Amino acid sequence: MVFQTAVMTVMTNAAMKASRALKRDFGEVENLQVSRKGPADFVSNADLKAEKTLREELERARPGYGFLLEEAGEIEGKDKTHRWIIDPLDGTTNFLHGLPHFAISIALEREGELVAGLIYDPIKDERFWAEKGKGAYVNDRRMRVAARRTLDQSLLATGIPFLGRPGHEQHRQELKAVTPQVAGIRRFGSAALDLAYVAAGRYDGFWERGLSAWDIAAGVIIAKEAGAILGQINGAPLKLDSPSILATNEDLFRPLSKILHDTTKPA
């Protein structure tokens, strides 16, 4: 049994409690009440219930911490040094279509630095987690990024802009440039799980543009603790509000960054 700290226990307990309702709702997905939040961007009762549960559980365990929530936005706490960053249901469109690939994502930020992250897939019962300086784990097994050194052997993940999102032509150019040079590309619809899978060595790399802090915060620290190199597509340092993200191992980061970045240059 791998030792986990009190804060990770708090995060795990909150995720497990929220996941129970998500699993029930997923089993009755056809009966869910769903409202439109924007073109191809949905919010369901399941999102809202999960977010409420996570907030209540984390507030009870760590009163005063602030929140950055996908649905409720920024909530300032009395403790200005700590903030939870939460996506209660990453992969909402998958969830609403009955596709069993979605996750709860929780990160803890201390004085502006990510110090803990947890991504829980309730259908597969996989808990990806990490704390700063302590390594990354899936359930109780240590994770490391894949060791492949060449793109031609690599399996990558990405996110494709959908209805109402910009960047369609840019992404087509990226796929056109990358696809002939790799073993495969997947688009599974959950950035949190994409980053977790990079950490677990299931993907050799992941890139996407236009993500929000709650999409990537937990995944960033998990991937980093598993040995991933993270940055922006152009190779610049990554921040939670960066316009793009690229995560892979040390050998693949530079060549993949160059291919992707070159697609933004004038022909």
Side-chain angles (χ1 to χ4, degrees):
M1 185 76 178
V2 177
F3 172 78
Q4 63 179 34
T5 64
V7 73
M8 186 54 63
T9 299
V10 165
M11 295 166 73
T12 298
N13 291 343
M16 293 299 178
K17 184 167 184 179
S19 74
R20 290 197 284 271
L22 281 182
K23 286 191 284 189
R24 285 195 301 270
D25 285 340
F26 185 70
E28 300 180 8
V29 68
E30 292 182 355
N31 300 320
L32 279 177
Q33 298 177 36
V34 180
S35 60
R36 288 294 293 271
K37 193 169 63 172
D41 189 9
F42 304 99
V43 57
S44 69
N45 285 346
D47 281 285
L48 300 173
K49 284 191 295 184
E51 186 169 281
K52 182 174 183 290
T53 298
L54 292 168
R55 182 181 171 188
E56 289 173 350
E57 291 299 305
L58 294 171
E59 276 185 330
R60 183 179 297 116
R62 294 293 187 272
Y65 284 19
F67 288 87
L68 178 61
L69 302 153
E70 182 184 16
E71 304 301 341
E74 180 94 37
I75 300 171
E76 194 169 283
K78 292 181 180 178
D79 182 342
K80 309 300 182 188
T81 63
H82 289 88
R83 181 173 72 157
W84 300 109
I85 304 175
I86 296 172
D87 189 339
L89 178 50
D90 188 69
T92 304
T93 301
N94 286 349
F95 182 93
L96 294 174
H97 286 78
L99 293 173
H101 191 76
F102 54 87
I104 293 168
S105 177
I106 308 170
L108 178 61
E109 193 178 58
R110 179 179 296 132
E111 296 181 340
E113 181 181 17
L114 293 171
V115 294
L118 179 146
I119 296 168
Y120 181 58
D121 179 339
I123 301 302
K124 304 176 191 70
D125 191 27
E126 288 191 314
R127 180 175 62 105
F128 304 88
W129 57 282
E131 293 187 70
K132 188 176 185 301
K134 295 182 171 66
Y137 299 84
V138 53
N139 296 334
D140 292 330
R141 181 169 56 83
R142 184 73 181 261
M143 295 191 297
R144 293 293 298 176
V145 293
R148 294 180 185 88
R149 295 184 174 183
T150 60
L151 286 172
D152 63 331
Q153 298 179 345
S154 300
L155 178 66
L156 306 180
T158 188
I160 300 172
F162 49 82
L163 177 65
R165 294 290 182 93
H168 292 263
E169 181 56 35
Q170 174 61 47
H171 192 75
R172 279 193 287 271
Q173 293 302 316
E174 291 170 0
L175 287 176
K176 183 179 178 181
V178 174
T179 301
Q181 302 195 51
V182 299
I185 299 176
R186 302 290 182 263
R187 199 282 192 186
F188 278 180
S190 168
L193 286 174
D194 288 338
L195 285 164
Y197 282 17
V198 170
R202 299 174 186 177
Y203 293 142
D204 298 290
F206 163 70
W207 88 92
E208 189 165 350
R209 297 179 187 269
L211 294 171
S212 299
W214 48 78
D215 295 313
I216 65 171
V220 163
I221 186 167
I222 292 169
K224 191 175 293 184
E225 286 294 316
I229 305 298
L230 295 105
Q232 297 183 53
I233 283 173
N234 64 5
L238 179 71
K239 299 179 181 178
L240 290 182
D241 60 354
S242 293
S244 68
I245 182 172
L246 172 61
T248 184
N249 66 27
E250 188 173 8
D251 293 302
L252 299 180
F253 187 90
R254 188 169 295 178
L256 187 53
S257 173
K258 184 179 187 309
I259 293 169
L260 291 167
H261 184 50
D262 282 352
T263 67
T264 66
K265 297 177 180 178

